[in-house]
Amino acid sequence: MPSGSMQKVVIHKAGGYEQLKLETHPVPKPGEGQVLIRTEAVGVNYADICVRWGVYESARRFVGWPITPGFEYSGWVEDVGREVKHVKPGDPVFGVTLFNGYSTHVCAPADLVWPKPRALDFEAAAGLLAVHLTAYHGLLQNVVIRPGMRVLVHSAGGGVGSALVQLCKLHNLHVTGVVGRSHKVEYVRRLGADAVIDKSTHSLWDETKRLCPDGYDLIFDANGPETLAQSYAHLKPTGKLLVYGFHSLLPKQGGHINYLKATLGMLRMPRFNPLSMTSENKGVVAFNLSFLFPRADLLHAAVNDLTAWLEAGDIRVPKVRSFALEDVAQAHRVLESGETTGKLVLRTAPRFSASANEATVQGASAPDQ
């Protein structure tokens, strides 16, 4: 790779894995209040797949095409702009970025860059923030919690679900995790869940009712129309449904959106009536991490707590599976399969050929699995 150049994944139009292009671009210069990071690893999230499909709202609103996905990274400070005091060149850091993460270099606002926790290696650090900030914001910045509250966490074996289970147990809540594959049951139990429902072998809502007949105080649901209505129905009075995604609107594998399925899913999306919610004394809270980036005050509070809990051993780092940056298509394919637990990350240490300005990412044209 030429001096002063970097490699990044670029998507020029919506589509499947073939749209993931590895390109060479100039390394940006940090402006005032910015930090240039040479990344070691970057996190992979389901939101990145939605960016590739062209259906992620903040990507359409703030960037458009072309776009480089990626919200989180870890690496080394390479340069800083004026007025940046808390980090300096050579420091190990991690942080969040509004896109542009799938790259060997990231230029990020200084207030979204933090010293890397000593307890984490670079891959674990790269996979920490997106899921843990989502879990933290949902549990600790949106509702008032009290010890002993009953919580149901859908997709408890995934990134956000794993973080939610641990944060709930740290705050003495009773947690039931829901998983869709039997091999995830023991993983969620080890995270501390008091009960685990395997919906591939048991009736989800029968088990939900059996385990907590009076209803749940909090239910975390990113499934969408597949479960939202029943999640709301299984709240107790004063309960809250927290919504942070709509995965069942979109296919889990295959690389392309099934638009018929998405349309049918939209028609099945529940409507929550404020009059009914008032008389039932239930609430719905919905949020998206990418629209939270302007609230650096909330993010700093979350990172400070999360770092302290990690250093004290109160929460465990997520299980991480890593791929080379050029294997980004395979990482997307694996994440879409629904078989993963923990987090996926891309290793971004330089290991690329600079013989061509652009290449289709390895595996992008391979047959769907």
Side-chain angles (χ1 to χ4, degrees), residues 21-278:
K21 307 290 185 180
L22 191 62
E23 300 179 356
T24 301
H25 288 259
V27 174
K29 282 284 190 182
E32 184 171 349
Q34 291 185 322
V35 178
L36 176 66
I37 299 98
R38 175 171 49 84
T39 62
E40 287 281 341
V42 299
V44 179
N45 295 283
Y46 198 80
D48 305 336
I49 294 169
C50 296
V51 170
R52 193 191 79 228
W53 286 332
V55 297
Y56 202 69
E57 177 61 25
S58 62
R60 294 189 297 187
R61 185 181 303 184
F62 299 137
V63 182
W65 306 112
I67 190 170
T68 293
F71 291 103
E72 56 185 344
Y73 60 84
S74 66
W76 304 90
V77 175
E78 194 157 280
D79 197 5
V80 298
R82 292 175 51 197
E83 304 303 322
V84 176
K85 307 294 185 186
H86 71 295
V87 294
K88 63 184 185 305
D91 284 351
V93 294
F94 73 151
V96 291
T97 175
L98 193 57
F99 311 108
N100 296 312
Y102 286 15
S103 178
T104 59
H105 293 74
V106 170
C107 197
D111 60 359
L112 299 181
V113 181
W114 296 273
K116 183 180 72 67
R118 294 185 299 275
L120 302 186
D121 63 23
F122 281 103
E123 290 186 4
L128 181 84
L129 285 177
V131 296
H132 280 77
L133 289 174
T134 299
Y136 185 103
H137 181 65
L139 181 66
L140 299 172
Q141 293 177 332
N142 271 291
V143 295
V144 176
I145 60 173
R146 297 172 301 281
M149 291 175 79
R150 308 280 295 215
V151 184
L152 182 74
V153 178
H154 288 281
S155 305
V160 177
S162 298
L164 278 167
V165 171
Q166 292 195 77
L167 291 182
C168 285
K169 294 312 300 177
L170 181 62
H171 290 83
N172 300 311
L173 310 183
H174 184 283
V175 184
T176 297
V178 180
V179 298
R181 303 287 192 278
S182 296
H183 72 273
K184 299 184 179 185
V185 171
E186 186 55 35
Y187 173 73
V188 175
R189 284 197 177 118
R190 290 198 305 270
L191 293 173
D194 298 281
V196 182
I197 300 172
D198 178 1
K199 63 182 181 181
S200 71
T201 59
H202 293 78
S203 168
L204 169 58
W205 301 114
D206 286 349
E207 284 295 289
T208 299
K209 181 74 171 178
R210 182 184 69 81
L211 290 167
C212 190
D214 296 329
Y216 293 81
D217 295 285
L218 304 174
I219 297 181
F220 289 87
D221 193 335
N223 289 331
E226 175 185 313
T227 55
L228 280 174
Q230 282 297 310
S231 288
Y232 182 81
H234 283 78
L235 292 172
K236 69 193 301 184
T238 73
K240 303 292 188 296
L241 172 61
L242 292 107
V243 182
Y244 56 95
F246 305 91
H247 290 179
S248 67
L249 277 176
L250 305 168
K252 297 293 184 185
Q253 59 185 17
H256 293 84
I257 290 180
N258 182 330
Y259 285 101
L260 175 60
K261 179 180 178 180
T263 300
L264 293 175
M266 287 297 296
L267 294 174
R268 292 171 50 224
M269 190 73 72
R271 273 39 173 190
F272 297 105
N273 186 317
L275 288 174
S276 299
M277 292 167 65
T278 301

Side-chain angles (χ1 to χ4, degrees), residues 312-344:
D314 293 329
I315 58 175
R316 295 174 5 207
V317 297
K319 178 182 176 182
V320 173
R321 180 178 175 185
S322 67
F323 299 79
L325 184 61
E326 63 264 35
D327 294 328
V328 58
Q330 180 64 10
H332 276 212
R333 183 180 288 111
V334 169
L335 187 57
E336 286 178 38
S337 74
E339 298 289 337
T340 59
T341 56
K343 276 301 300 259
L344 305 183

